[in-house]
């Protein structure tokens, strides 16, 4: 099993939206970055654990734990001309973009804020991708030791 962190802007899709979805499950669609696409398509596997991270908000941070419940498959929003994630260059016969399905496991007892994570950037979280300068990826790996440490902060 592997661990991940997936960013979302709560104004676009929040933990509340996920909780309200049928079976607290949703497809993680609309990713339009090749490195993140490769992660969705090739690396994320059934039962992998995922931190849900709210970004672009007053207090960014980790708000929940999710599980991958369906491995990578073509992102249908890329083919839908009415969807804001539509990509006219994407071909259903040779899909460019992929998504996974995730299910809410649980909300954290409290938000583990970005500022709090940064306090541990020199030691316990020194290799955490989220904390690297210039990182803008919406999906990043989390090492098992980092996962365990972050949960201990809860």
């Amino acid at each position: 099993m592997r661990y991940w962190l997936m960013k979302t802007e709560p104004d676009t899709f929040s933990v509340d939206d996920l909780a309200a979805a049928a079976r607290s499950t949703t497809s993680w669609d609309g990713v339009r970055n090749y490195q993140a696409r490769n992660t969705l398509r090739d690396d994320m596997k059934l039962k992998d654990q995922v931190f849900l991270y709210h970004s672009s908000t007053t207090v960014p941070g980790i708000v929940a734990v999710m599980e991958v419940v369906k491995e990578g498959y073509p992102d249908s929003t890329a083919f839908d001309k009415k969807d804001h994630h539509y990509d006219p260059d994407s071909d259903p016969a040779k899909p460019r973009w992929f998504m996974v399905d995730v299910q809410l496991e649980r909300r954290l007892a409290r938000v583990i804020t970005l500022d709090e994570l940064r306090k541990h950037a020199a030691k316990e979280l020194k290799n955490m991708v989220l904390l690297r300068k210039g990182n803008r990826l919406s999906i990043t790996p989390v090492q098992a030791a980092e996962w365990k440490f972050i949960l201990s902060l809860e």
Side-chain angles (χ1 to χ4, degrees), residues 4-8 15 50-55 57 59-66 104 106-118 125 128 130-131 140-142 146-154:
W4 307 95
L5 181 140
M6 297 173 93
K7 293 181 187 177
T8 181
V15 65
V50 183
F51 282 133
L52 179 62
Y53 179 92
H54 281 175
S55 65
T57 187
V59 182
I62 300 170
V63 298
V65 174
M66 306 182 296
L104 178 64
R106 68 180 183 90
R107 294 173 190 257
L108 295 186
R110 66 180 187 84
V111 176
I112 300 174
T113 68
L114 177 58
D115 286 342
E116 185 174 359
L117 295 171
R118 285 183 176 144
L125 302 177
M128 190 171 187
L130 173 72
L131 303 178
T140 56
V142 176
E146 295 167 340
W147 181 271
K148 185 176 179 180
F149 177 76
I150 291 167
L151 288 178
S152 79
L153 298 173
E154 186 182 12

Side-chain angles (χ1 to χ4, degrees), residues 2 4 6 40 43-50 66-72 100-103 105:
R2 295 183 68 184
W4 307 95
M6 297 173 93
L40 291 168
D43 300 329
M44 295 183 96
K45 302 298 180 193
L46 208 57
K47 303 288 185 186
D48 281 359
Q49 297 291 291
V50 183
M66 306 182 296
E67 182 176 298
V68 175
V69 294
K70 185 174 180 181
E71 294 182 13
V100 298
D101 287 357
V102 292
Q103 183 174 55
E105 286 291 307

Side-chain angles (χ1 to χ4, degrees), residues 1 3 6 11 23 26 34 45 51 54 57 61-62 71 74-75 85 88 90 92 101 109-110 127 129 134 138 146 148:
M1 174 178 22
Y3 302 95
M6 297 173 93
D11 290 347
R23 297 181 348 268
T26 191
Y34 286 104
K45 302 298 180 193
F51 282 133
H54 281 175
T57 187
I62 300 170
E71 294 182 13
D75 183 343
H85 293 124
S90 196
D101 287 357
R110 66 180 187 84
N127 295 317
V129 176
S138 62
E146 295 167 340
K148 185 176 179 180

